[in-house]
Short mmCIF file of all heavy atoms in Angstrom, two decimals:
data_model
loop_
_atom_site.label_atom_id
_atom_site.label_comp_id
_atom_site.label_asym_id
_atom_site.label_seq_id
_atom_site.Cartn_x
_atom_site.Cartn_y
_atom_site.Cartn_z
N PHE N 1 8.42 -4.32 8.47
CA PHE N 1 7.48 -3.65 7.67
C PHE N 1 6.28 -3.15 8.56
O PHE N 1 5.84 -1.99 8.41
CB PHE N 1 6.95 -4.57 6.56
CG PHE N 1 5.66 -4.06 5.87
CD1 PHE N 1 5.76 -3.04 4.95
CD2 PHE N 1 4.42 -4.65 6.19
CE1 PHE N 1 4.60 -2.64 4.34
CE2 PHE N 1 3.23 -4.21 5.53
CZ PHE N 1 3.36 -3.17 4.62
N HIS N 2 5.78 -3.98 9.45
CA HIS N 2 4.69 -3.59 10.27
C HIS N 2 5.11 -2.44 11.27
O HIS N 2 4.29 -1.61 11.45
CB HIS N 2 4.09 -4.78 11.01
CG HIS N 2 3.40 -5.73 10.06
ND1 HIS N 2 2.27 -5.40 9.35
CD2 HIS N 2 3.69 -7.06 9.82
CE1 HIS N 2 1.88 -6.42 8.66
NE2 HIS N 2 2.71 -7.51 8.89
N ALA N 3 6.32 -2.52 11.63
CA ALA N 3 6.78 -1.43 12.60
C ALA N 3 6.92 -0.16 11.80
O ALA N 3 6.59 0.91 12.37
CB ALA N 3 8.16 -1.86 13.16
N LEU N 4 7.32 -0.27 10.54
CA LEU N 4 7.43 0.95 9.73
C LEU N 4 6.01 1.62 9.53
O LEU N 4 5.78 2.77 9.66
CB LEU N 4 7.97 0.62 8.32
CG LEU N 4 7.98 1.69 7.31
CD1 LEU N 4 8.81 2.89 7.71
CD2 LEU N 4 8.41 1.17 5.97
N MET N 5 4.95 0.77 9.30
CA MET N 5 3.59 1.16 9.05
C MET N 5 3.09 1.89 10.42
O MET N 5 2.38 2.96 10.27
CB MET N 5 2.70 0.05 8.75
CG MET N 5 2.96 -0.54 7.43
SD MET N 5 2.20 0.30 6.07
CE MET N 5 0.49 -0.14 6.32
N ALA N 6 3.45 1.43 11.50
CA ALA N 6 3.00 1.97 12.71
C ALA N 6 3.70 3.27 13.09
O ALA N 6 3.15 4.20 13.80
CB ALA N 6 3.18 0.96 13.87
N ARG N 7 4.99 3.36 12.65
CA ARG N 7 5.72 4.59 12.89
C ARG N 7 5.34 5.84 12.21
O ARG N 7 5.39 6.93 12.64
CB ARG N 7 7.19 4.25 12.59
CG ARG N 7 8.20 5.38 13.01
CD ARG N 7 9.57 5.13 12.60
NE ARG N 7 10.46 6.24 13.19
CZ ARG N 7 11.22 6.14 14.22
NH1 ARG N 7 11.20 5.06 14.97
NH2 ARG N 7 11.94 7.10 14.53
N SER N 8 4.99 5.66 10.93
CA SER N 8 4.71 6.77 10.03
C SER N 8 3.29 6.69 9.33
O SER N 8 3.11 5.79 8.58
CB SER N 8 5.76 6.92 8.99
OG SER N 8 5.41 7.91 8.05
N ASP N 9 2.36 7.63 9.69
CA ASP N 9 1.06 7.61 8.96
C ASP N 9 1.21 7.88 7.51
O ASP N 9 0.53 7.42 6.66
CB ASP N 9 0.17 8.64 9.63
CG ASP N 9 -0.34 8.27 11.03
OD1 ASP N 9 -0.15 7.10 11.37
OD2 ASP N 9 -0.60 9.17 11.83
N ALA N 10 2.23 8.70 7.21
CA ALA N 10 2.44 9.05 5.69
C ALA N 10 2.83 7.81 4.91
O ALA N 10 2.33 7.63 3.80
CB ALA N 10 3.41 10.24 5.64
N VAL N 11 3.79 7.09 5.49
CA VAL N 11 4.22 5.89 4.82
C VAL N 11 3.11 4.85 4.65
O VAL N 11 2.87 4.24 3.67
CB VAL N 11 5.39 5.29 5.56
CG1 VAL N 11 5.68 3.82 5.00
CG2 VAL N 11 6.68 6.17 5.39
N ALA N 12 2.32 4.70 5.83
CA ALA N 12 1.27 3.81 5.78
C ALA N 12 0.17 4.19 4.74
O ALA N 12 -0.38 3.26 4.06
CB ALA N 12 0.56 3.75 7.18
N SER N 13 -0.05 5.48 4.62
CA SER N 13 -1.05 5.94 3.61
C SER N 13 -0.53 5.56 2.17
O SER N 13 -1.29 5.08 1.37
CB SER N 13 -1.23 7.35 3.72
OG SER N 13 -2.13 7.92 2.77
N ARG N 14 0.81 5.75 1.92
CA ARG N 14 1.27 5.42 0.63
C ARG N 14 1.28 3.94 0.31
O ARG N 14 0.84 3.45 -0.81
CB ARG N 14 2.79 5.91 0.45
CG ARG N 14 2.93 7.36 0.56
CD ARG N 14 4.50 7.75 0.18
NE ARG N 14 4.63 9.19 0.46
CZ ARG N 14 5.24 9.64 1.58
NH1 ARG N 14 5.68 8.85 2.48
NH2 ARG N 14 5.45 10.99 1.70
N VAL N 15 1.52 3.13 1.27
CA VAL N 15 1.44 1.69 1.21
C VAL N 15 0.05 1.24 0.89
O VAL N 15 -0.18 0.40 -0.11
CB VAL N 15 1.94 1.00 2.49
CG1 VAL N 15 1.64 -0.55 2.44
CG2 VAL N 15 3.44 1.08 2.60
N LEU N 16 -0.94 1.85 1.47
CA LEU N 16 -2.41 1.43 1.28
C LEU N 16 -2.83 1.86 -0.05
O LEU N 16 -3.66 1.10 -0.71
CB LEU N 16 -3.20 1.98 2.45
CG LEU N 16 -3.00 1.29 3.84
CD1 LEU N 16 -3.86 2.10 4.82
CD2 LEU N 16 -3.34 -0.13 3.81
N ARG N 17 -2.41 2.94 -0.55
CA ARG N 17 -2.76 3.46 -1.88
C ARG N 17 -2.22 2.51 -2.99
O ARG N 17 -2.83 2.04 -3.97
CB ARG N 17 -2.22 4.85 -2.14
CG ARG N 17 -3.18 5.94 -1.48
CD ARG N 17 -2.96 7.26 -2.16
NE ARG N 17 -1.52 7.74 -2.11
CZ ARG N 17 -1.01 8.38 -1.10
NH1 ARG N 17 -1.75 8.72 0.02
NH2 ARG N 17 0.25 8.79 -1.13
N ASN N 18 -0.92 2.09 -2.79
CA ASN N 18 -0.31 1.09 -3.68
C ASN N 18 -0.96 -0.24 -3.61
O ASN N 18 -1.12 -0.85 -4.71
CB ASN N 18 1.23 0.92 -3.27
CG ASN N 18 2.13 2.14 -3.64
OD1 ASN N 18 1.69 2.98 -4.50
ND2 ASN N 18 3.28 2.20 -2.99
N MET N 19 -1.28 -0.63 -2.44
CA MET N 19 -2.03 -1.97 -2.32
C MET N 19 -3.36 -1.91 -3.14
O MET N 19 -3.69 -2.83 -3.88
CB MET N 19 -2.29 -2.25 -0.88
CG MET N 19 -3.13 -3.56 -0.73
SD MET N 19 -3.35 -3.92 1.04
CE MET N 19 -4.40 -5.36 0.81
N ALA N 20 -4.08 -0.86 -2.97
CA ALA N 20 -5.41 -0.76 -3.72
C ALA N 20 -5.19 -0.76 -5.21
O ALA N 20 -5.93 -1.47 -5.97
CB ALA N 20 -6.16 0.55 -3.27
N ARG N 21 -4.20 -0.07 -5.69
CA ARG N 21 -3.87 -0.07 -7.19
C ARG N 21 -3.45 -1.53 -7.63
O ARG N 21 -3.90 -1.89 -8.65
CB ARG N 21 -2.76 0.93 -7.37
CG ARG N 21 -2.26 0.97 -8.86
CD ARG N 21 -1.34 2.11 -9.15
NE ARG N 21 -0.22 2.14 -8.18
CZ ARG N 21 0.91 1.39 -8.30
NH1 ARG N 21 1.07 0.59 -9.37
NH2 ARG N 21 1.90 1.46 -7.46
N ARG N 22 -2.67 -2.23 -6.83
CA ARG N 22 -2.20 -3.53 -7.29
C ARG N 22 -3.25 -4.53 -7.22
O ARG N 22 -3.31 -5.39 -8.14
CB ARG N 22 -1.00 -3.95 -6.32
CG ARG N 22 0.27 -3.13 -6.62
CD ARG N 22 1.50 -3.81 -6.15
NE ARG N 22 2.69 -3.01 -6.51
CZ ARG N 22 3.15 -2.03 -5.72
NH1 ARG N 22 2.70 -1.84 -4.51
NH2 ARG N 22 4.22 -1.31 -6.18
N VAL N 23 -4.15 -4.44 -6.20
CA VAL N 23 -5.32 -5.36 -6.28
C VAL N 23 -6.17 -5.11 -7.46
O VAL N 23 -6.63 -6.13 -8.04
CB VAL N 23 -6.05 -5.19 -4.94
CG1 VAL N 23 -7.43 -5.96 -5.04
CG2 VAL N 23 -5.36 -5.74 -3.78
N GLY N 24 -6.33 -3.86 -7.88
CA GLY N 24 -7.10 -3.54 -9.10
C GLY N 24 -6.47 -4.17 -10.32
O GLY N 24 -7.13 -4.65 -11.19
N ASP N 25 -5.05 -4.08 -10.39
CA ASP N 25 -4.33 -4.67 -11.51
C ASP N 25 -4.61 -6.19 -11.60
O ASP N 25 -4.80 -6.72 -12.66
CB ASP N 25 -2.81 -4.38 -11.39
CG ASP N 25 -2.49 -2.98 -11.56
OD1 ASP N 25 -3.28 -2.19 -12.10
OD2 ASP N 25 -1.44 -2.56 -11.05
N LEU N 26 -4.59 -6.79 -10.36
CA LEU N 26 -4.80 -8.22 -10.38
C LEU N 26 -6.22 -8.61 -10.84
O LEU N 26 -6.49 -9.57 -11.49
CB LEU N 26 -4.57 -8.85 -9.00
CG LEU N 26 -3.07 -8.90 -8.56
CD1 LEU N 26 -3.01 -9.22 -7.10
CD2 LEU N 26 -2.26 -9.75 -9.45
N GLN N 27 -7.17 -7.82 -10.44
CA GLN N 27 -8.59 -8.03 -10.84
C GLN N 27 -8.66 -7.86 -12.38
O GLN N 27 -9.39 -8.62 -13.02
CB GLN N 27 -9.50 -7.05 -10.03
CG GLN N 27 -9.68 -7.36 -8.64
CD GLN N 27 -10.49 -6.23 -7.92
OE1 GLN N 27 -10.43 -5.10 -8.30
NE2 GLN N 27 -11.07 -6.58 -6.80
N ARG N 28 -8.07 -6.91 -12.90
CA ARG N 28 -8.14 -6.59 -14.38
C ARG N 28 -7.57 -7.81 -15.13
O ARG N 28 -8.07 -8.31 -16.16
CB ARG N 28 -7.51 -5.29 -14.77
CG ARG N 28 -8.34 -4.11 -14.49
CD ARG N 28 -7.81 -2.83 -15.18
NE ARG N 28 -6.44 -2.51 -14.54
CZ ARG N 28 -6.26 -1.77 -13.52
NH1 ARG N 28 -7.43 -1.32 -12.80
NH2 ARG N 28 -5.10 -1.48 -13.04
N LEU N 29 -6.45 -8.32 -14.53
CA LEU N 29 -5.76 -9.46 -15.25
C LEU N 29 -6.69 -10.67 -15.24
O LEU N 29 -6.74 -11.35 -16.26
CB LEU N 29 -4.38 -9.86 -14.55
CG LEU N 29 -3.65 -11.05 -14.90
CD1 LEU N 29 -3.16 -10.72 -16.32
CD2 LEU N 29 -2.55 -11.38 -14.02
#
């Protein structure tokens, strides 16, 4: 996973957006 993040900026950007959304979901819960 970490190698994938380092290889592609586009993939890393999508991962970080998903992470922010999921952390928000957990906060709302």
Side-chain angles (χ1 to χ4, degrees):
F1 168 74
H2 291 299
L4 173 64
M5 293 278 287
R7 182 184 184 99
S8 172
D9 290 341
V11 169
S13 178
R14 294 188 189 102
V15 167
L16 293 175
R17 285 199 302 271
N18 286 342
M19 177 181 176
R21 176 171 54 83
R22 291 197 175 95
V23 169
D25 290 341
L26 291 173
Q27 290 174 331
R28 282 192 296 275
L29 177 67

